[in-house]
Amino acid sequence: MKPVTEQDIRSSFVNCSKGDAKRLNVPADLAATQWDQLDFLGWSDPTYAGRSYIVVPREDDLVGIALRHEAGSDRAQMCTICTTTHSRGNVALMAARKVGESGRRGNTVGTYMCVDLDCSLYARGTKTPALGNRYREHLEPEERVVRVQENLDAFVDRLYT
């Protein structure tokens, strides 16, 4: 992922109002972010429990998405973005309001994601789940990264349908 600024982030949101995008808490450490390790920027809002955000690079643009989630399940679950299996509570259903009229009527789409939103790091093998749970597969890290990007693109596409 290419480096982005706070202004880039705020102007990228597609499923919340401009006022909401202006008020949301952007990560404070953007300058220290290792952009070459990320397929998307993801963070949780420390002041708003159950609210997270992702910014996904697409073609020549960024797509920012506001997400809501409940606490994760008591069972081990797999993230549908990076296919990392986590122990209790570390995967949650992330719901995003759809774009346009459909979203204004309250329609949402969802996917199960790592609560810490570190899918890029799990795919690259630079971070492992707390208990070391990993679905056994024979893909190289580069192939897992491509899968993360494809799964993210599919999720973003669903916001517009």
Side-chain angles (χ1 to χ4, degrees):
M1 182 171 179
K2 293 179 184 176
V4 296
T5 66
E6 180 178 338
Q7 182 56 39
D8 295 334
I9 292 168
R10 291 188 189 285
S11 64
S12 71
F13 281 88
V14 297
N15 70 336
C16 66
S17 71
K18 288 182 182 182
D20 287 343
K22 185 177 179 179
R23 288 184 296 272
L24 65 84
N25 289 311
V26 174
D29 59 350
L30 287 176
T33 302
Q34 294 183 10
W35 298 103
D36 61 332
Q37 296 291 305
L38 299 179
D39 302 294
F40 68 97
L41 177 64
W43 72 99
S44 294
D45 189 331
T47 63
Y48 192 152
R51 177 61 67 101
S52 296
Y53 308 97
I54 60 174
V55 176
V56 182
R58 297 212 40 187
E59 297 163 12
D60 292 332
D61 206 6
L62 293 173
V63 175
I65 304 166
L67 302 164
R68 292 184 186 213
H69 62 90
E70 301 288 325
S73 170
D74 285 344
R75 299 180 299 159
Q77 288 185 300
M78 181 183 286
C79 172
T80 58
I81 301 298
C82 65
T83 68
T84 300
T85 303
H86 289 277
S87 60
R88 306 171 25 167
N90 293 314
V91 171
L93 177 61
M94 302 278 186
R97 191 173 76 196
K98 292 185 85 168
V99 174
E101 181 60 33
S102 182
R104 285 189 287 278
R105 287 189 305 228
N107 293 321
T108 61
V109 295
T111 193
Y112 286 91
M113 290 182 75
C114 301
V115 172
D116 62 10
L117 299 170
D118 282 339
C119 300
S120 298
L121 303 180
Y122 293 120
R124 286 170 174 76
T126 57
K127 186 173 183 179
T128 56
L131 295 179
N133 294 339
R134 177 107 185 123
Y135 176 69
R136 292 182 189 237
E137 60 185 352
H138 302 289
L139 294 178
E140 295 297 319
E142 297 80 19
E143 295 170 299
R144 291 193 301 262
V145 166
V146 168
R147 181 177 55 207
V148 165
Q149 293 166 347
E150 290 171 348
N151 290 342
L152 270 172
D153 281 341
F155 177 65
V156 172
D157 287 345
R158 290 175 46 214
L159 290 173
Y160 293 94
T161 58

